[in-house]
Every structure is written in C-alpha cells, then in structure tokens.
Amino acid sequence: GEDVEQSLFLSVREGDSSVINCTYTDSSSTYLYWYKQEPGAGLQLLTYIFSNMDMKQDQRLTVLLNKKDKHLSLRIADTQTGDSAIYFCADNSNSGYALNFGKGTSLLVTP
Amino acid sequence: ETGVTQTPRHLVMGMTNKKSLKCEQHLGHNAMYWYKQSAKKPLELMFVYSLEERVENNSVPSRFSPECPNSSHLFLHLHTLQPEDSALYLCASSEEEGYYEQYFGPGTRLTVT
C-alpha cells in the first residue's frame, strides 16, 4: 500500500487536548481509521471516517479530514493518563484486502 | 474483551526450532489476518484468509507458513527463523475480507535467539 505517515511521539499534560496528525498518499482510500494500542495489547478501533466527510465527533474524540491535503487528525479533549498509548492511523488502500497502517504515535500523558 | 485470543503470549525460540502460533476468534467472522509489528516500523500485513482460503500472501518468506483449518482458527507455523523475525505477531479478524473494521488479538511476542 501507499505510505501513511505519523509523528512518532507526543507528550501532553493531563486535562489538555491532544492532537495527533497523519498524512496519507493514496487518494483512493474510502475510509480512514484511528486505532489505539495499549501496552501489551492488540490494536483497538477507536473511530473511523468516510472519505466524503470532513469531520466526525464521538464523545472526547474529534476526527478532521482534509482530503485535498490528504491530512487526517485525531483530537482528544480533556486527555487523561489512561489515554497514554500508541495511536495508529490507517487507510484502506492496501490492495483492498486489509488496512495500511502508519508507524504509530506514542502519546504520553503526564499528571 | 477483544473476542480474538492468541497463544502463546510470549515465545522464545532458537533458529533451528519449529513452533506454531495460534489465533482463535469468537466473533463469527469470515476473514482472518496475520500482521507483524516491529519496533519503529509500520504494521506489516503477512497473510489474509477469507472463508479458510488464502487470498493474500504479502511476499512473506517461506519460513512462515500459515494454516486456516476453519473460519475460527488461524495458525502461523514457524521454522528456521532468523533473529530479525523477532517481533510482535498480531492476529485480526473481520466480518468479511475487505470489511475494514478489524478486531485484533493481544499478539504473541516472539524472540528468536
């Protein structure tokens, strides 16, 4: 599949908002996803957005999609220490069979 | 509870050993996947099975051999591995192949010595 790029690390204080950014290259992607991986666990789907949308809100999570710039972001409001994890951006450009993941962004939330 | 279980959770093996990883999904899904997760690299798709038929083999070396005896079980047979094969091996399932909400197991942490 085409490249999905993310920054590797982000550190925020508890209670602040976190914004994790992602860029992708394949404009044929119809869905874009955010997965969360806690230590010692597999990946868990957090949310996804269809490519004809530019925003989706789900409780503390807001996904913004700029299709022109191929840029996706995940905003976590009121970040808690339990949000510390690795966040993966993914698209469905990988030959149609499975997801194409970025390297993941490690989010550290400090008290 | 993820609905996808993997055993063992940790495995240490020598380069001449033969071992198998097991994945089981309790979700009634028809598609199952093996991914390799190495440090500082994107998740790499290894194999995709749909209704027990392999539909994707992503240029994986033959020292990795998958088996899908039924839609609930997926194995990854390992033999004569190399130290660079040390990684977290993740199994996932979805309702259908190409149905993109995937459910992941916790992974098997493999160390090849």
Side-chain angles (χ1 to χ4, degrees), chain B residues 9-13 21 64 78 81 85-89 108-112:
Chain B
R9 294 293 308 276
H10 301 272
L11 177 62
V12 180
M13 58 186 289
L21 310 185
F64 295 91
L78 316 171
L81 294 192
D85 297 322
S86 298
L88 183 68
Y89 288 85
T108 295
R109 173 67 64 186
L110 174 68
T111 303
V112 181

PDB file of all heavy atoms in Angstrom, chain B residues 9-13 21 64 78 81 85-89 108-112:
ATOM      1  N   ARG B   9       1.395 -16.064  24.514  1.00  0.00           N
ATOM      2  CA  ARG B   9       1.580 -14.610  24.539  1.00  0.00           C
ATOM      3  C   ARG B   9       3.051 -14.236  24.354  1.00  0.00           C
ATOM      4  O   ARG B   9       3.358 -13.179  23.814  1.00  0.00           O
ATOM      5  CB  ARG B   9       1.055 -14.025  25.843  1.00  0.00           C
ATOM      6  CG  ARG B   9      -0.437 -14.152  26.027  1.00  0.00           C
ATOM      7  CD  ARG B   9      -1.209 -13.296  25.020  1.00  0.00           C
ATOM      8  NE  ARG B   9      -0.763 -11.923  25.014  1.00  0.00           N
ATOM      9  CZ  ARG B   9      -1.187 -10.988  25.863  1.00  0.00           C
ATOM     10  NH1 ARG B   9      -2.090 -11.290  26.781  1.00  0.00           N
ATOM     11  NH2 ARG B   9      -0.744  -9.754  25.779  1.00  0.00           N
ATOM     12  N   HIS B  10       3.929 -15.106  24.805  1.00  0.00           N
ATOM     13  CA  HIS B  10       5.370 -14.888  24.662  1.00  0.00           C
ATOM     14  C   HIS B  10       6.002 -16.198  24.197  1.00  0.00           C
ATOM     15  O   HIS B  10       5.608 -17.273  24.643  1.00  0.00           O
ATOM     16  CB  HIS B  10       6.011 -14.454  25.983  1.00  0.00           C
ATOM     17  CG  HIS B  10       5.441 -13.189  26.536  1.00  0.00           C
ATOM     18  ND1 HIS B  10       5.916 -11.942  26.191  1.00  0.00           N
ATOM     19  CD2 HIS B  10       4.410 -12.972  27.384  1.00  0.00           C
ATOM     20  CE1 HIS B  10       5.217 -11.016  26.829  1.00  0.00           C
ATOM     21  NE2 HIS B  10       4.292 -11.614  27.552  1.00  0.00           N
ATOM     22  N   LEU B  11       6.993 -16.071  23.318  1.00  0.00           N
ATOM     23  CA  LEU B  11       7.675 -17.267  22.812  1.00  0.00           C
ATOM     24  C   LEU B  11       9.127 -16.912  22.539  1.00  0.00           C
ATOM     25  O   LEU B  11       9.411 -15.919  21.862  1.00  0.00           O
ATOM     26  CB  LEU B  11       6.992 -17.753  21.535  1.00  0.00           C
ATOM     27  CG  LEU B  11       7.604 -18.958  20.828  1.00  0.00           C
ATOM     28  CD1 LEU B  11       7.559 -20.186  21.729  1.00  0.00           C
ATOM     29  CD2 LEU B  11       6.880 -19.251  19.515  1.00  0.00           C
ATOM     30  N   VAL B  12      10.020 -17.741  23.069  1.00  0.00           N
ATOM     31  CA  VAL B  12      11.445 -17.626  22.765  1.00  0.00           C
ATOM     32  C   VAL B  12      11.848 -18.909  22.059  1.00  0.00           C
ATOM     33  O   VAL B  12      11.562 -20.007  22.549  1.00  0.00           O
ATOM     34  CB  VAL B  12      12.284 -17.435  24.047  1.00  0.00           C
ATOM     35  CG1 VAL B  12      13.771 -17.327  23.695  1.00  0.00           C
ATOM     36  CG2 VAL B  12      11.834 -16.195  24.815  1.00  0.00           C
ATOM     37  N   MET B  13      12.447 -18.774  20.898  1.00  0.00           N
ATOM     38  CA  MET B  13      12.841 -19.973  20.167  1.00  0.00           C
ATOM     39  C   MET B  13      14.197 -19.771  19.510  1.00  0.00           C
ATOM     40  O   MET B  13      14.582 -18.644  19.163  1.00  0.00           O
ATOM     41  CB  MET B  13      11.795 -20.358  19.114  1.00  0.00           C
ATOM     42  CG  MET B  13      11.494 -19.303  18.075  1.00  0.00           C
ATOM     43  SD  MET B  13      10.126 -19.782  16.990  1.00  0.00           S
ATOM     44  CE  MET B  13      10.870 -21.080  16.002  1.00  0.00           C
ATOM     45  N   LEU B  21       2.173 -20.505  16.219  1.00  0.00           N
ATOM     46  CA  LEU B  21       1.338 -19.516  16.893  1.00  0.00           C
ATOM     47  C   LEU B  21      -0.117 -19.836  16.565  1.00  0.00           C
ATOM     48  O   LEU B  21      -0.442 -20.214  15.438  1.00  0.00           O
ATOM     49  CB  LEU B  21       1.662 -18.106  16.419  1.00  0.00           C
ATOM     50  CG  LEU B  21       3.130 -17.679  16.421  1.00  0.00           C
ATOM     51  CD1 LEU B  21       3.252 -16.213  16.038  1.00  0.00           C
ATOM     52  CD2 LEU B  21       3.786 -17.960  17.747  1.00  0.00           C
ATOM     53  N   PHE B  64       7.749 -18.856   7.223  1.00  0.00           N
ATOM     54  CA  PHE B  64       6.448 -18.618   7.866  1.00  0.00           C
ATOM     55  C   PHE B  64       5.389 -19.331   7.034  1.00  0.00           C
ATOM     56  O   PHE B  64       5.235 -19.054   5.839  1.00  0.00           O
ATOM     57  CB  PHE B  64       6.116 -17.123   7.911  1.00  0.00           C
ATOM     58  CG  PHE B  64       7.035 -16.314   8.754  1.00  0.00           C
ATOM     59  CD1 PHE B  64       8.160 -15.720   8.207  1.00  0.00           C
ATOM     60  CD2 PHE B  64       6.782 -16.141  10.103  1.00  0.00           C
ATOM     61  CE1 PHE B  64       9.016 -14.972   8.988  1.00  0.00           C
ATOM     62  CE2 PHE B  64       7.628 -15.378  10.892  1.00  0.00           C
ATOM     63  CZ  PHE B  64       8.747 -14.794  10.329  1.00  0.00           C
ATOM     64  N   LEU B  78       6.167 -21.777  12.313  1.00  0.00           N
ATOM     65  CA  LEU B  78       7.462 -21.120  12.220  1.00  0.00           C
ATOM     66  C   LEU B  78       8.578 -22.165  12.180  1.00  0.00           C
ATOM     67  O   LEU B  78       8.566 -23.106  12.986  1.00  0.00           O
ATOM     68  CB  LEU B  78       7.685 -20.227  13.450  1.00  0.00           C
ATOM     69  CG  LEU B  78       6.506 -19.353  13.895  1.00  0.00           C
ATOM     70  CD1 LEU B  78       6.804 -18.701  15.243  1.00  0.00           C
ATOM     71  CD2 LEU B  78       6.192 -18.312  12.836  1.00  0.00           C
ATOM     72  N   LEU B  81      13.761 -19.763  11.838  1.00  0.00           N
ATOM     73  CA  LEU B  81      13.632 -18.317  11.814  1.00  0.00           C
ATOM     74  C   LEU B  81      14.986 -17.643  12.029  1.00  0.00           C
ATOM     75  O   LEU B  81      15.950 -18.264  12.474  1.00  0.00           O
ATOM     76  CB  LEU B  81      12.645 -17.852  12.887  1.00  0.00           C
ATOM     77  CG  LEU B  81      11.199 -18.270  12.711  1.00  0.00           C
ATOM     78  CD1 LEU B  81      10.304 -17.498  13.672  1.00  0.00           C
ATOM     79  CD2 LEU B  81      10.710 -18.076  11.287  1.00  0.00           C
ATOM     80  N   ASP B  85      13.422 -11.815  12.712  1.00  0.00           N
ATOM     81  CA  ASP B  85      11.996 -12.169  12.764  1.00  0.00           C
ATOM     82  C   ASP B  85      11.396 -11.907  14.140  1.00  0.00           C
ATOM     83  O   ASP B  85      10.182 -12.052  14.326  1.00  0.00           O
ATOM     84  CB  ASP B  85      11.796 -13.644  12.398  1.00  0.00           C
ATOM     85  CG  ASP B  85      12.227 -13.955  10.969  1.00  0.00           C
ATOM     86  OD1 ASP B  85      11.985 -13.106  10.072  1.00  0.00           O
ATOM     87  OD2 ASP B  85      12.813 -15.036  10.747  1.00  0.00           O
ATOM     88  N   SER B  86      12.229 -11.550  15.098  1.00  0.00           N
ATOM     89  CA  SER B  86      11.721 -11.201  16.426  1.00  0.00           C
ATOM     90  C   SER B  86      10.801  -9.988  16.300  1.00  0.00           C
ATOM     91  O   SER B  86      11.191  -8.964  15.729  1.00  0.00           O
ATOM     92  CB  SER B  86      12.880 -10.880  17.376  1.00  0.00           C
ATOM     93  OG  SER B  86      13.720 -12.004  17.532  1.00  0.00           O
ATOM     94  N   ALA B  87       9.589 -10.122  16.825  1.00  0.00           N
ATOM     95  CA  ALA B  87       8.584  -9.064  16.667  1.00  0.00           C
ATOM     96  C   ALA B  87       7.341  -9.453  17.442  1.00  0.00           C
ATOM     97  O   ALA B  87       7.268 -10.538  18.030  1.00  0.00           O
ATOM     98  CB  ALA B  87       8.233  -8.861  15.196  1.00  0.00           C
ATOM     99  N   LEU B  88       6.353  -8.590  17.399  1.00  0.00           N
ATOM    100  CA  LEU B  88       5.027  -8.908  17.917  1.00  0.00           C
ATOM    101  C   LEU B  88       4.166  -9.342  16.738  1.00  0.00           C
ATOM    102  O   LEU B  88       4.045  -8.616  15.753  1.00  0.00           O
ATOM    103  CB  LEU B  88       4.408  -7.687  18.598  1.00  0.00           C
ATOM    104  CG  LEU B  88       3.037  -7.886  19.247  1.00  0.00           C
ATOM    105  CD1 LEU B  88       3.141  -8.800  20.460  1.00  0.00           C
ATOM    106  CD2 LEU B  88       2.431  -6.535  19.643  1.00  0.00           C
ATOM    107  N   TYR B  89       3.602 -10.528  16.821  1.00  0.00           N
ATOM    108  CA  TYR B  89       2.769 -11.054  15.737  1.00  0.00           C
ATOM    109  C   TYR B  89       1.308 -10.930  16.165  1.00  0.00           C
ATOM    110  O   TYR B  89       0.878 -11.500  17.161  1.00  0.00           O
ATOM    111  CB  TYR B  89       3.156 -12.495  15.405  1.00  0.00           C
ATOM    112  CG  TYR B  89       4.487 -12.530  14.702  1.00  0.00           C
ATOM    113  CD1 TYR B  89       5.677 -12.535  15.427  1.00  0.00           C
ATOM    114  CD2 TYR B  89       4.565 -12.485  13.316  1.00  0.00           C
ATOM    115  CE1 TYR B  89       6.904 -12.502  14.790  1.00  0.00           C
ATOM    116  CE2 TYR B  89       5.793 -12.453  12.665  1.00  0.00           C
ATOM    117  CZ  TYR B  89       6.956 -12.456  13.410  1.00  0.00           C
ATOM    118  OH  TYR B  89       8.171 -12.419  12.772  1.00  0.00           O
ATOM    119  N   THR B 108       1.432 -12.185  19.973  1.00  0.00           N
ATOM    120  CA  THR B 108       2.468 -13.066  20.520  1.00  0.00           C
ATOM    121  C   THR B 108       3.799 -12.359  20.356  1.00  0.00           C
ATOM    122  O   THR B 108       4.184 -11.998  19.237  1.00  0.00           O
ATOM    123  CB  THR B 108       2.516 -14.421  19.776  1.00  0.00           C
ATOM    124  OG1 THR B 108       1.302 -15.122  19.986  1.00  0.00           O
ATOM    125  CG2 THR B 108       3.691 -15.258  20.278  1.00  0.00           C
ATOM    126  N   ARG B 109       4.478 -12.151  21.482  1.00  0.00           N
ATOM    127  CA  ARG B 109       5.807 -11.529  21.440  1.00  0.00           C
ATOM    128  C   ARG B 109       6.828 -12.635  21.182  1.00  0.00           C
ATOM    129  O   ARG B 109       7.039 -13.490  22.028  1.00  0.00           O
ATOM    130  CB  ARG B 109       6.102 -10.829  22.757  1.00  0.00           C
ATOM    131  CG  ARG B 109       7.534 -10.284  22.898  1.00  0.00           C
ATOM    132  CD  ARG B 109       7.817  -9.171  21.948  1.00  0.00           C
ATOM    133  NE  ARG B 109       6.991  -7.987  22.201  1.00  0.00           N
ATOM    134  CZ  ARG B 109       6.969  -6.920  21.423  1.00  0.00           C
ATOM    135  NH1 ARG B 109       7.717  -6.877  20.341  1.00  0.00           N
ATOM    136  NH2 ARG B 109       6.200  -5.904  21.717  1.00  0.00           N
ATOM    137  N   LEU B 110       7.420 -12.633  19.997  1.00  0.00           N
ATOM    138  CA  LEU B 110       8.362 -13.677  19.587  1.00  0.00           C
ATOM    139  C   LEU B 110       9.785 -13.153  19.651  1.00  0.00           C
ATOM    140  O   LEU B 110      10.089 -12.076  19.110  1.00  0.00           O
ATOM    141  CB  LEU B 110       8.046 -14.132  18.161  1.00  0.00           C
ATOM    142  CG  LEU B 110       9.034 -15.114  17.530  1.00  0.00           C
ATOM    143  CD1 LEU B 110       8.988 -16.459  18.232  1.00  0.00           C
ATOM    144  CD2 LEU B 110       8.756 -15.287  16.044  1.00  0.00           C
ATOM    145  N   THR B 111      10.650 -13.927  20.292  1.00  0.00           N
ATOM    146  CA  THR B 111      12.076 -13.619  20.320  1.00  0.00           C
ATOM    147  C   THR B 111      12.827 -14.813  19.746  1.00  0.00           C
ATOM    148  O   THR B 111      12.663 -15.941  20.217  1.00  0.00           O
ATOM    149  CB  THR B 111      12.566 -13.353  21.755  1.00  0.00           C
ATOM    150  OG1 THR B 111      11.792 -12.278  22.318  1.00  0.00           O
ATOM    151  CG2 THR B 111      14.034 -12.968  21.761  1.00  0.00           C
ATOM    152  N   VAL B 112      13.620 -14.549  18.722  1.00  0.00           N
ATOM    153  CA  VAL B 112      14.417 -15.601  18.084  1.00  0.00           C
ATOM    154  C   VAL B 112      15.874 -15.413  18.508  1.00  0.00           C
ATOM    155  O   VAL B 112      16.456 -14.345  18.311  1.00  0.00           O
ATOM    156  CB  VAL B 112      14.308 -15.539  16.550  1.00  0.00           C
ATOM    157  CG1 VAL B 112      15.129 -16.667  15.911  1.00  0.00           C
ATOM    158  CG2 VAL B 112      12.853 -15.627  16.123  1.00  0.00           C
TER     159      VAL B 112
END
